[in-house]
Amino acid sequence: MAALHCRIPLILRKLTAKTNAGCMRAVWLTKRTDRLLFCLGTNYQLHSEKGGTNRNVMTGKVDRFGGITVHLSEQDFPPDTSQRAFNVQLRDSLSQWRAEGRIAVWLHVPIAQSRFIATAAEHGFAFHHARQDRSTLCLWLAEGESRLPRFATHQVGVAGAVLDEASGKVLVVQDKNKTKNAWKFPGGLSDPGENIGDTAVREVLEETGVQAEFRSLLSIRQQHNHPGAFGMSDMYLICRLRPLTFHIDFCTQECLRCEWQPLVELACTDATTPITSRVARLLLHGLRHGFHHIDLPAEQLPAVYSGMFYQLYHRALPLTEA
């Protein structure tokens, strides 16, 4: 193979010297040249940590754990790359990564290149997760059993308990098309990258038309094998919100009813869910004795990762201990 690489310039000169014989022959020789270059792997290089390059190895990013992440969409594959050519490329790449001591490979495959998944499976890759436009495969390269983390096991639902302290009323809805139309706080699933307080505010506005602001976290419910979470676990968080507007313009596609209901009634009615009733009593206690007894306010703190922050929810410390 090394000798063949050395002869590439000579081969190219011989091939291109004959391309003036006709357009059809020139096109044929161009395709032939492209295939030759692809098979030799001259278009694929991986920059090692020492700054060198390796032929016939796909490019990737090494993570802090010693694994490598490869996006097929970022490789310079010709559109007509065959599974056979990909197989050679992946085989040589795996050989190189093992020699470098990589512990795992994360392979991101766009849906348009899904034909390569079967080839990757032949090398031991397995599905890790999939999203709308791509699937992610993984392969453990180190010794022993795989220590790769599983994909996300929880979904996060957030509800907003919008309490008008002046009137003692709270905003509640009844979901449409439910077996039991019980009163509950408006809410929904949190979007990726969205803080739970923002989720509560957004969902309340979308479902009821009422604008509100986040005040605190009130409760967390964890439920496993949740029917609406594809067999995964479900985290359901309820936040306390303060209303900024009071006019109701609820979404008729999601809600059957929506109203401001006295908190004392919601706390003792049978026409609600157990968690809503419990949180209503919690809110009633806060309304009567002070919300500092029930609130888990949020504080933004810098993360150990440069330039990143997180929200920490906890009971406020006394000023003398803060």
Side-chain angles (χ1 to χ4, degrees):
M1 179 63 75
L4 188 56
H5 275 294
C6 295
R7 295 177 58 194
I8 289 176
L10 179 61
I11 296 173
L12 291 179
R13 284 197 296 270
K14 290 182 178 181
L15 289 174
T16 54
K18 300 178 181 180
T19 56
N20 293 329
C23 293
M24 292 300 294
R25 181 173 177 78
V27 171
W28 181 82
L29 286 173
T30 300
K31 290 184 177 179
R32 182 180 177 185
T33 304
D34 289 342
R35 290 194 182 98
L36 176 61
L37 290 174
F38 176 74
C39 293
L40 294 175
T42 57
N43 289 334
Y44 298 91
Q45 296 179 333
L46 175 65
H47 291 274
S48 65
E49 294 177 330
K50 296 182 180 179
T53 59
N54 299 287
R55 298 183 184 278
N56 212 35
V57 175
M58 288 181 275
T59 59
K61 183 177 181 181
V62 178
D63 59 41
R64 63 192 180 99
F65 300 106
I68 185 167
T69 298
V70 177
H71 292 266
L72 293 191
S73 60
E74 298 176 359
Q75 310 304 312
D76 192 20
F77 288 155
D80 60 347
T81 300
S82 66
Q83 289 178 265
R84 182 177 180 180
F86 175 74
N87 180 63
V88 173
Q89 198 72 7
L90 183 59
R91 180 200 64 197
D92 293 350
S93 298
L94 288 172
S95 178
Q96 177 67 31
W97 295 331
R98 286 190 172 97
E100 293 174 351
R102 303 300 172 217
I103 66 169
V105 182
W106 298 95
L107 189 65
H108 296 269
V109 185
I111 193 170
Q113 295 178 312
S114 58
R115 64 185 184 280
F116 296 143
I117 292 177
T119 302
E122 294 176 0
H123 289 273
F125 280 86
F127 281 116
H128 187 263
H129 66 276
R131 294 190 174 181
Q132 291 180 337
D133 60 347
R134 73 175 189 271
S135 60
T136 299
L137 282 63
C138 61
L139 176 64
W140 180 253
L141 298 180
E143 296 181 357
E145 294 185 1
S146 173
R147 298 193 301 272
L148 293 176
R150 295 182 179 181
F151 191 52
T153 57
H154 289 67
Q155 70 175 14
V156 180
V158 185
V162 187
L163 176 63
D164 176 20
E165 298 178 38
S167 66
K169 292 185 177 181
V170 66
L171 186 65
V172 289
V173 298
Q174 287 185 358
D175 284 339
K176 201 170 186 179
N177 301 323
K178 293 287 185 178
T179 305
K180 180 181 180 181
N181 291 317
W183 290 112
K184 59 184 285 291
F185 302 120
L189 294 179
S190 186
D191 291 333
E194 185 178 46
N195 290 335
I196 60 174
D198 296 334
T199 302
V201 169
R202 174 180 58 78
E203 286 290 340
V204 166
L205 180 61
E206 291 176 356
E207 290 191 9
T208 71
V210 172
Q211 296 182 1
E213 66 176 4
F214 172 80
R215 302 300 295 171
S216 73
L217 175 64
L218 292 173
S219 67
I220 302 174
R221 181 209 69 191
Q222 184 179 28
Q223 181 177 348
H224 302 295
N225 296 317
H226 190 275
F230 305 100
M232 296 298 179
S233 300
D234 175 79
M235 301 289 288
Y236 178 65
L237 300 87
I238 299 181
C239 301
R240 182 171 73 88
L241 306 184
R242 184 176 74 87
L244 301 177
T245 62
F246 297 88
H247 175 69
I248 293 175
D249 183 18
F250 70 89
C251 176
T252 56
Q253 294 180 336
E254 295 187 37
C255 305
L256 182 66
R257 299 171 63 186
C258 177
E259 63 182 49
W260 291 97
Q261 190 170 117
L263 190 58
V264 291
E265 294 183 9
L266 186 66
C268 61
T269 182
D270 293 332
T272 186
T273 63
I275 189 171
T276 303
S277 177
R278 178 65 61 87
V279 172
R281 295 199 297 272
L282 189 67
L283 283 169
L284 193 58
H285 180 82
L287 188 62
R288 291 171 175 172
H289 304 286
F291 291 108
H292 63 281
H293 291 292
I294 65 170
D295 280 346
L296 295 175
E299 182 180 2
Q300 180 166 283
L301 299 174
V304 294
Y305 303 103
S306 177
M308 300 185 69
F309 297 85
Y310 61 84
Q311 285 68 43
L312 182 65
Y313 300 83
H314 63 86
R315 289 280 294 276
L317 293 171
L319 295 178
T320 57
E321 299 180 16

